[in-house]
């Protein structure tokens, strides 16, 4: 599982330990930060620790630190991912 660890530093322009991403999908990985996944429109499949979860428009998922996950969006789907360091809380 160590090879799936995401080493990205998620920081805002102001150097706060929070970053907002707009995406249509995310590869299988895990990180120490918390992550809010918001489906803005469309549908997506989220794999969370091996379990498949279907996400629809306006669905929000909160992932705790250390959770293995990926997102597979269907065409014309927009997703926001907010990644927040535990130190932010």
């Amino acid at each position: 599982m160590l090879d799936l660890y995401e080493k990205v530093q998620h920081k805002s322009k102001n150097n706060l330990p929070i970053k907002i991403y707009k995406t249509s999908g995310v590869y299988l990985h895990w990180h120490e930060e918390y992550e809010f996944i918001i489906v803005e429109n469309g549908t997506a499949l989220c794999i969370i620790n091996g379990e498949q979860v279907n996400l629809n428009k306006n669905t929000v998922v909160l992932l705790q630190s250390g959770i293995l996950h990926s997102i597979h969006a269907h065409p014309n789907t927009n997703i926001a991912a907010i990644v927040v360091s535990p130190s932010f809380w």
Side-chain angles (χ1 to χ4, degrees):
M1 190 156 121
L2 285 177
D3 58 331
L4 298 175
Y5 176 70
E6 184 179 60
K7 298 175 180 95
V8 175
Q9 291 268 333
H10 302 283
K11 294 193 182 253
S12 71
K13 292 179 183 177
N14 299 334
N15 211 28
L16 292 172
I18 183 171
K19 182 78 176 190
I20 300 173
Y21 298 94
K22 298 288 188 160
T23 185
S24 60
V26 178
Y27 59 92
L28 185 64
H29 70 287
W30 69 276
H31 41 73
E32 295 172 7
E33 295 82 6
Y34 292 88
E35 184 168 348
F36 295 90
I37 299 168
I38 305 158
V39 178
E40 297 176 319
N41 69 319
T43 59
L45 174 66
C46 190
I47 310 295
I48 304 170
N49 280 340
E51 182 179 334
Q52 296 185 8
V53 179
N54 290 307
L55 306 177
N56 298 310
K57 180 179 178 179
N58 297 326
T59 301
V60 177
V61 174
L62 170 61
L63 299 174
Q64 295 180 359
S65 177
I67 300 293
L68 188 63
H69 62 284
S70 64
I71 306 169
H72 310 277
H74 296 110
N76 302 315
T77 297
N78 294 316
I79 298 168
I82 304 169
V83 183
V84 183
S85 171
S87 68
F88 188 73
W89 307 111

